[in-house]
Amino acid sequence: MRFDLLLFFVLLSILALPPAFAESDEIPGYGSKQKGAYSYCLGDVQTIADILFRGGLTIKGPLKECDISEIERLKFAGLDLVERADPAILARKELFPDLDSVYLNSEANTAALRILQKHHKQITTLVIQQKKALGEDAVKLLAEFDQLSYLQLSCPLEAPDRLIESLPDSVVFLNLFDTGVGSHAPLHPKRLSKLQRLSLNEPVSSAFMNKLQAPKLEELDLTGRMETGSVKHVFRFHNLQYLTFNRQAPPIEDLRYLAAGTPPGGLNAQYHGENDEVARLVGKISEKASKRFNLLRLTDQVQDRAQEFLLLQLKPRIKCTIQNRSPDGYDITCDQSRGVLITEKTYTPGQSLNAYFITKCRGRYLLIDSLSSFIRD
């Protein structure tokens, strides 16, 4: 009994601690809002590339030999292939040994996707944009990227009802623009066990929404016409934290049903439009949610604060080896895992050091060699 009481007070103490760093804090070479790096309200690819990675490379056409030498020297983690870029460069793995984020934007990206699947299955971020429909064979390749956490498709699909079954289990954030997926029920519904954030910038049908299996969904962003019944049962996502309606008003019958129901505790519902009745009902949903307790949310808060507590009080350190210099720091290995050391100091390849662990983003450790430049006193 005493142990249970002690544990309870420890958890309360952790929750009461001030955050270790705020979203406005800056990390040298990485910009601001590190903890909000997944923000997707604008579907802005550059936000993802700029905040988390040490510099991205954009290729728009043929390359000269001097360009190749520079690419090999810098070893970019982010790559944009646009316009007349030759996708064959993806086959030269020595140029991109740590490729992590890829943006494909041309008339047709299937050839680039095939090469990417063959040589760079480890990527965690992929954006595909094109005017022509992406073929079913290309969509099936997505299943091969087993570390993919962020996927954005800005193109029509030949078989939109096949996308869900082709997604790898690792997908955390799915952003869809005019794909047609939201209008069709998945042909073979799949449990997206890690999906936390879904942004649908296209029409949404009740058939799609009511067959979507995403038990960990935290954020749902809807932009486009919503069929009656499409959002009626969103409270079945028990961990939903943010429900956003952009521009288009959701079906009023659905909103009345939700406003009379029991929302997940702490749900923040927002409507960015001009329909006063919709705004009133959305506000009522948020008000009811604010008064409810949510055990899942509390668990997440305890875990976050415990991690911050460990960072501040225990200062965990990881033994690392410098691999090579990059524009904003160093590529490193830590216990056979890859990472990035954020620093203003100078090191040499092969040098070992103990660095402070900050966080893990898209499969990489982020570390720093001095807490004084990262955490405010």
Side-chain angles (χ1 to χ4, degrees):
M1 183 66 179
R2 288 185 178 180
F3 176 77
D4 291 340
L5 287 173
L6 178 61
L7 179 61
F8 175 73
F9 283 114
V10 168
L11 290 177
L12 285 181
S13 300
I14 292 176
L15 283 173
L17 287 172
F21 51 86
E23 286 192 353
S24 60
D25 290 349
E26 292 196 358
I27 300 176
Y30 276 72
S32 61
K33 296 187 178 179
Q34 180 70 26
K35 292 206 74 176
Y38 267 116
S39 175
Y40 65 85
C41 293
L42 299 178
D44 189 352
V45 177
Q46 205 59 44
T47 299
I48 300 160
D50 286 348
I51 293 178
L52 285 185
F53 303 110
R54 56 190 180 278
L57 171 67
T58 299
I59 301 177
K60 298 181 178 181
L63 298 175
K64 299 178 181 179
E65 196 57 41
C66 59
D67 298 325
I68 298 293
S69 299
E70 186 70 3
I71 293 172
E72 188 170 17
R73 182 179 72 84
L74 290 176
K75 293 182 171 58
F76 291 99
L79 176 63
D80 297 356
L81 289 182
V82 301
E83 299 175 8
R84 297 178 297 107
D86 184 359
I89 194 170
L90 289 168
R92 300 187 60 175
K93 193 172 176 64
E94 76 278 4
L95 297 180
F96 307 102
D98 295 319
L99 191 62
D100 200 69
S101 172
V102 177
Y103 171 48
L104 304 176
N105 183 358
S106 65
E107 289 188 9
N109 296 291
T110 302
L113 189 60
R114 286 197 180 103
I115 300 173
L116 198 62
Q117 179 268 334
K118 184 176 181 180
H119 297 280
H120 302 281
K121 290 182 182 179
Q122 81 285 352
I123 63 170
T124 62
T125 299
L126 176 62
V127 178
I128 301 176
Q129 183 170 348
Q130 63 183 54
K131 293 182 179 179
K132 295 181 179 179
L134 191 66
E136 185 175 346
D137 289 342
V139 169
K140 287 181 178 179
L141 292 175
L142 296 174
E144 301 293 323
F145 298 92
D146 57 5
Q147 296 183 49
L148 195 66
S149 61
Y150 177 97
L151 174 65
Q152 176 174 313
L153 298 177
S154 300
C155 58
L157 302 182
E158 283 185 358
D161 54 352
R162 293 278 188 178
L163 177 67
I164 299 300
E165 67 183 89
S166 300
L167 294 178
D169 296 331
S170 55
V171 169
V172 174
F173 179 11
L174 181 61
N175 197 356
L176 302 178
F177 285 81
D178 301 320
T179 62
V181 172
S183 299
H184 296 81
L187 194 60
H188 297 289
K190 178 180 180 179
R191 181 182 173 89
L192 301 176
S193 59
K194 294 186 179 180
L195 185 68
Q196 295 179 15
R197 305 177 183 191
L198 173 63
S199 182
L200 290 169
N201 300 273
E202 55 186 56
V204 181
S205 71
S206 59
F208 173 81
M209 284 301 303
N210 294 329
K211 283 198 173 183
L212 180 66
Q213 299 183 43
K216 291 188 177 181
L217 191 67
E218 295 179 359
E219 301 185 18
L220 178 60
D221 185 277
L222 300 174
T223 303
R225 182 185 58 81
M226 287 159 267
E227 183 181 75
T228 299
S230 59
V231 295
K232 187 176 182 179
H233 301 294
V234 294
F235 291 167
R236 67 189 176 87
F237 302 116
H238 301 298
N239 205 33
L240 197 64
Q241 298 180 26
Y242 299 95
L243 175 61
T244 306
F245 304 108
N246 287 307
R247 295 193 295 275
Q248 292 281 348
I252 198 71
E253 297 90 340
D254 287 21
L255 276 187
R256 287 172 180 158
Y257 181 86
L258 293 177
T262 306
L267 173 66
N268 182 357
Q270 296 184 7
Y271 166 58
H272 302 295
E274 300 178 355
N275 187 310
D276 292 339
E277 177 66 6
V278 169
R280 183 186 68 81
L281 290 171
V282 170
K284 183 178 179 180
I285 292 171
S286 285
E287 183 181 0
K288 290 181 70 174
S290 67
K291 299 175 181 179
R292 296 195 67 242
F293 174 76
N294 190 317
L295 180 60
L296 292 173
R297 196 73 41 80
L298 178 63
T299 302
D300 289 341
Q301 290 176 354
V302 169
Q303 290 177 344
D304 288 344
R305 292 300 174 85
Q307 182 177 0
E308 293 171 357
F309 175 80
L310 290 173
L311 177 62
L312 278 172
Q313 306 300 326
L314 304 181
K315 300 179 177 59
R317 305 189 76 182
I318 299 178
K319 187 173 183 179
C320 305
T321 302
I322 302 293
Q323 298 299 307
N324 57 267
R325 177 75 175 163
S326 63
D328 296 314
Y330 291 88
D331 296 321
I332 56 176
T333 56
C334 312
D335 301 327
Q336 299 182 345
S337 297
R338 289 179 297 175
V340 176
L341 179 70
I342 305 168
T343 183
E344 295 179 352
K345 299 179 182 179
T346 301
Y347 296 97
T348 58
Q351 185 174 347
S352 296
L353 74 155
N354 291 321
Y356 294 101
F357 173 75
I358 300 175
T359 187
K360 189 176 182 181
C361 293
R362 294 184 172 86
R364 287 170 181 253
Y365 290 121
L366 291 186
L367 303 100
I368 197 164
D369 51 8
S370 172
L371 281 177
S372 61
S373 61
F374 176 60
I375 298 177
R376 289 187 245 178
D377 294 330

